[in-house]
Amino acid sequence: MAIALTAALMLTAGCVSDTDDPAASLEAEEAREYSERHGFPYYENDPYQEPYHPCIEIPDDALIATGVDPETAFADTSEVPSPGWRICSWDGTGYALSVYTMVRTLDELYTHPMYHQFRDVTINGREGVEFHVIRDPEACTIAFPAAMGMTFVRTSLVLANRMPPGSTFCALAAQHAADLDPHLPQL
C-alpha cells in the first residue's frame, strides 16, 4: 500500500488546478458537496474535481461478486491526502484489490520512470494497458482512460502463498476490471 501511495504522489507532483475557469469552479463546488456528503476531506488545490470515489461508487454487491470483502475498504483519505487521485482498497484472499481514479493520462503513465512492462489489453470492449511498478514485482495494474484522466485496477500481494490457486496478479486484475467495469469512470 505504501508503494502504491508513493507512486500516486510521485505521478501527481506538480499538479495545479485552474480556479479562474468558471467550469472548473462549478466542478469544484460539485466535488466539495460530494466530499462533504460522503465524509471525505475536500482540498481546494486538489486538481481532482470529479464527484466520484471508488469507496462510494462501487457497490458492496459488486465487490462481493468479484471476490473481495467490502468491509475492508480503505480510502486514501483515511491517512494521507492524495491530490489528483481517489484510491480505495479491499482485501481479497491473500491479495489486495485497489481502484484508483486520477487526473493524469495514459501518455503520462507511459513516460513515468516508475512504470514498465506495458501491454495493451481489451476488457469488456474497453481498451487499456497492463503494467507493473518497478519496485513492486508482486502486483499488476490495468489502466483505462477515463473522462477525468485514468482509472487503475490493481492487485497486490498481502499474504504469501495465500492467493487463489493458479492465479496471477495480472489475471486477477483483469477479472476484477471486467467485473467492476460498469461501476468505473468511463470516457
Side-chain angles (χ1 to χ4, degrees):
M1 178 68 88
I3 290 172
L5 288 176
T6 300
L9 294 173
M10 288 177 69
L11 188 62
T12 61
C15 289
V16 181
S17 65
D18 181 4
T19 57
D20 295 335
D21 179 4
S25 295
L26 178 60
E27 290 171 2
E29 187 57 34
E30 289 173 8
R32 175 189 303 282
E33 290 172 7
Y34 181 89
S35 294
E36 289 173 358
R37 185 170 58 252
H38 296 293
F40 289 110
Y42 175 80
Y43 304 100
E44 292 288 339
N45 63 348
D46 190 343
Y48 187 105
Q49 298 297 333
E50 187 78 16
Y52 177 97
H53 195 292
C55 280
I56 301 301
E57 302 301 328
I58 300 175
D60 288 354
D61 60 338
L63 293 166
I64 292 166
T66 199
V68 296
D69 181 358
E71 296 297 317
T72 62
F74 178 83
D76 56 325
T77 54
S78 298
E79 296 289 329
V80 180
S82 303
W85 296 71
R86 297 297 178 265
I87 305 168
C88 195
S89 296
W90 302 269
D91 292 343
T93 302
Y95 68 97
L97 167 66
S98 301
V99 174
Y100 302 55
T101 56
M102 71 216 66
V103 297
R104 296 305 192 175
T105 66
L106 283 179
D107 288 339
E108 292 170 287
L109 176 74
Y110 287 122
T111 61
H112 198 283
M114 189 175 214
Y115 305 126
H116 70 134
Q117 296 178 337
F118 298 100
R119 185 176 77 86
D120 291 339
V121 296
T122 302
I123 297 174
N124 292 351
R126 189 173 183 185
E127 294 181 12
V129 63
E130 174 188 288
F131 68 95
H132 298 270
V133 176
I134 289 173
R135 293 185 214 154
D136 194 4
E138 295 182 325
C140 185
T141 306
I142 295 176
F144 299 106
M148 85 287 286
M150 278 188 291
T151 298
F152 284 3
V153 176
R154 181 176 193 274
T155 55
S156 57
L157 185 67
V158 174
L159 298 171
N161 302 319
R162 293 277 315 271
M163 285 187 52
S167 294
T168 67
F169 291 109
C170 290
L172 283 171
Q175 173 214 321
H176 292 308
D179 292 347
L180 298 178
D181 183 57
H183 310 289
L184 300 177
Q186 307 289 317
L187 275 174

